[in-house]
Amino acid sequence: MPAAGVVVATGAISLDHARAEVEQLGPVVGFLAAVLVLAHFCDVEGLFQACGAWTARWSGGRPARLLTAVFALASVITAVLSLDATVVLLTPVVFATAARSGVRAKPHVYACTHLSNTASLLLPVSNLTNLLAFAASGLSFTRFAALMVLPWLVAIGAEYLVFRWFFARDLSTAAPGARDTGEPPRLPLFALVTVGCTLAGFVLASAVGIDPAWAACAGALALAGRALVRRRATPVTVVKAAAPAFLAFVLALGVVVRAVVDNGLADALGRVLPGGTGLPALLGVAALAAVLANLINNLPAVLVLLPLVAPTGPGAVLAVLLGVNIGPNLTYAGSLATLLWRRIVHQHDHGVDLREFTRLGLLAVPTALGAAVVALWGALQVVGS
Amino acid sequence: MRVIVWLDEGTWPACVDAARAHAPAASEVVLLHVSGPGVAGLAHGAFAGLLGRAGSEPDPEGRLVELGRASAAELLDAAEARLGRACTRLERAGRVEREVVAAAEGADLLILARDGDRSRLGPHSLGKAVRFAVDHAPCPVLLVWPEGAPDLTTMPPPPPHHH
């Protein structure tokens, strides 16, 4: 945020451009706040705990079956409630589920981290990168989903095959007679119905031409309102769930990136970015986006690339999304910039086997990304852009 | 006599059974569990990749460390019950294979289970951590097959003679 102040104060970006950027990002940030609140109160309603208990019962202590269940669960949670929900709320539940089932947790926690990226392709709400691209693409909510459903399924399928092979040894190990998976969980009916209605609201809103953010807003208000009435939340916790500091960060980041783009990055990237919407061009755009995401993190990457590809049409915008969403699985902490920053700021050893992390990424990212781009190209032919 | 039994998720019952069968009645049995930091670090990395969320949302790493501690205690409870005799519990945290070797210092026997590909006889039946512990153990080692050993036909044919 101080950086945003600096670029405005030094004239690196004109006040008009800064204001235009903030006005453009405003509705996106509102949408994001609603999704964050929705996910938070789904957790308060016990949705994630119930999901953990269901996967434990369905898998019956068999590690490969548990991995399948975790893949399904993490894919749906990421698509509907965003990648934040998977990373922050679902990962601990999956870890606890694996431990309770007598199964090694590593493949399942890896699945959560990979799918929080790879499975965030489906809906505009799944990832902040999508919300930004959605605003720039001119697509309707349903058209976005219709074009992305095939790439989403194909990318998840590719990850699944890589995981089954990569973790074959861990997935063959389970303590016999794993402990009982406990009582059947209480069905968090209100949360499920609210999320279902919100999804229906997205479809309906885009059919009649209303901003789908209102549907997210209604869902968030329903869940937060119920928590307030039942005294499980206070107005302060509702505001905190919307992560105001993060929302402000997104606006500030938009201004900083706009300043950098205005000052020459656009020309430089414009020269290497392939034009057109054929399969080779889409592959090139997605690969460039993935590389950029691994260097500078995917939020700045998508902010940089969107103005450059938006004139080419929705196909190129969605190819950028495939790159910036799947790409971060290659680098621990999502990008070299974050990794270096954290290395410098916190001299803290997290004990992650970085060679193993990168080996998995080198297998999974090109496989999932390549297959997803081909699927997107196919979807563009069938659905039409 | 001091017998260290290294218990790992998924394979621990076989180690406890080996201790019941092979540790002399007068020996001191130590049930060892080591928590590696890797899995919680994965969750931390995923969170660090979410730009701008630090401070607004909780880092899942802390929750995973806490859950890991609880599940290690449950594992040791279950192992103690299966062993059915007096024993010492030892929980360590750090690089798993190195902690195991350090814990085995001065012991008379280390019991551990193969953690690799157990479908055939051969070197791949040892994963990285067990391989390290076997190679560096400062005491005698009892290496068990968690699900019983595969039969001899799984052994690769001998290499041809060169004269």
Side-chain angles (χ1 to χ4, degrees):
Chain A
M1 244 174 287
V6 169
V7 293
V8 173
T10 57
I13 180 170
S14 71
L15 209 54
D16 283 344
H17 271 188
R19 192 181 304 123
E21 188 69 28
V22 170
E23 274 170 10
Q24 199 194 336
L25 285 179
V28 171
V29 166
F31 205 160
L32 176 67
V35 176
L36 289 172
V37 171
L38 195 65
H40 175 84
F41 285 101
C42 279
D43 186 34
V44 172
E45 289 280 329
L47 180 65
F48 294 90
Q49 291 297 337
C51 287
W54 289 327
T55 51
R57 292 172 77 82
W58 186 77
S59 60
R62 276 165 293 178
R65 216 170 140 98
L66 181 63
L67 186 76
T68 308
V70 167
F71 257 71
L73 182 63
S75 298
V76 172
I77 294 283
T78 304
V80 177
L81 293 174
S82 93
L83 81 168
D84 288 51
T86 296
V87 171
V88 175
L89 304 172
L90 184 64
T91 305
V93 169
V94 164
F95 178 82
T97 302
R100 229 185 3 256
S101 313
V103 167
R104 288 202 178 140
K106 191 169 74 177
H108 309 285
V109 172
Y110 255 117
C112 287
T113 69
H114 265 231
L115 290 170
S116 72
N117 290 317
T118 301
S120 72
L121 300 172
L122 181 63
L123 302 178
V125 293
S126 312
N127 197 325
L128 176 54
T129 53
N130 298 7
L131 277 176
L132 293 165
F134 176 56
S137 70
L139 290 165
S140 73
F141 193 97
T142 38
R143 197 156 196 84
F144 184 103
L147 285 169
M148 286 302 239
V149 65
L150 195 60
W152 180 70
L153 288 171
V154 165
I156 293 166
E159 290 268 6
Y160 184 74
L161 293 178
V162 169
F163 266 65
R164 286 299 295 264
W165 180 81
F166 192 87
F167 291 111
R169 283 182 189 176
D170 289 294
L171 293 174
S172 68
T173 311
R179 274 150 284 163
D180 185 27
T181 46
E183 291 285 298
R186 190 189 59 85
L187 187 72
L189 194 63
F190 190 83
L192 283 174
V193 169
T194 308
V195 170
C197 288
T198 307
L199 285 175
F202 288 149
V203 177
L204 199 69
S206 67
V208 297
I210 305 172
D211 189 338
W214 293 111
C217 213
L221 283 178
L223 277 173
R226 177 173 150 104
L228 283 170
V229 169
R230 304 194 144 203
R231 299 186 183 281
R232 283 203 211 130
T234 62
V236 177
T237 55
V238 176
V239 172
K240 269 175 99 174
F246 172 45
L247 304 179
F249 169 83
V250 173
L251 289 176
L253 184 69
V255 172
V256 173
V257 171
R258 180 71 182 262
V260 176
V261 170
D262 282 358
N263 286 288
L265 187 63
D267 296 340
L269 275 172
R271 273 196 288 276
V272 291
L273 208 61
T277 51
L279 182 57
L282 291 181
L283 283 167
V285 168
L288 183 73
V291 169
L292 200 60
N294 275 288
L295 292 176
I296 62 170
N297 198 294
N298 63 0
L299 274 186
V302 82
L303 286 169
V304 165
L305 289 171
L306 277 179
L308 297 173
V309 296
T312 321
V317 172
L318 296 180
V320 164
L321 282 185
L322 298 185
V324 298
N325 289 353
I326 299 174
N329 282 336
L330 200 53
T331 311
Y332 180 68
S335 71
L336 288 174
T338 319
L339 198 58
L340 287 175
W341 172 252
R342 302 194 71 81
R343 271 286 151 87
I344 294 161
V345 177
H346 321 267
Q347 295 285 344
H348 177 41
D349 180 15
H350 284 289
V352 172
D353 184 347
L354 290 182
R355 269 179 53 193
E356 180 185 61
F357 187 98
T358 312
R359 244 174 6 103
L360 178 62
L362 282 172
L363 285 168
V365 171
T367 314
L369 186 56
V373 175
V374 173
L376 173 66
W377 178 78
L380 285 165
Q381 308 305 310
V382 175
V383 182
S385 58
Chain B
M1 184 176 179
R2 186 173 155 88
V3 179
I4 310 280
V5 189
W6 173 23
L7 307 171
D8 193 23
E9 276 77 11
T11 58
W12 64 266
C15 296
V16 174
D17 294 348
R20 286 165 58 114
H22 301 292
S27 61
E28 181 200 3
V29 175
V30 179
L31 300 180
L32 166 70
H33 180 272
V34 186
S35 304
V39 173
L42 282 177
H44 172 77
F47 183 71
L50 301 177
L51 215 56
R53 270 76 148 195
S56 299
E57 297 175 47
D59 186 336
E61 185 186 24
R63 186 87 189 96
L64 256 64
V65 169
E66 201 178 290
L67 286 165
R69 229 173 261 141
S71 100
E74 276 177 35
L75 190 154
L76 286 172
D77 286 343
E80 207 174 337
R82 190 178 179 108
L83 184 68
R85 58 179 271 191
C87 62
T88 313
R89 295 163 61 131
L90 183 57
E91 287 189 61
R92 297 179 79 129
R95 285 183 184 269
V96 176
E97 58 275 18
R98 289 184 181 271
E99 291 297 327
V100 170
V101 171
E105 192 186 13
D108 301 284
L109 182 64
L110 170 65
I111 300 178
L112 38 66
R114 290 173 196 263
D115 61 346
D117 172 14
R118 275 118 42 214
S119 62
R120 60 187 65 219
L121 298 168
H124 292 299
S125 62
L126 271 68
K128 248 168 63 179
V130 169
R131 164 64 60 199
F132 185 95
V134 168
D135 286 347
H136 297 82
C139 66
V141 167
L142 174 56
L143 182 58
V144 302
W145 289 91
E147 305 91 356
D151 60 64
L152 280 179
T153 58
T154 62
M155 196 161 55
H161 288 289
H162 297 285
H163 287 292

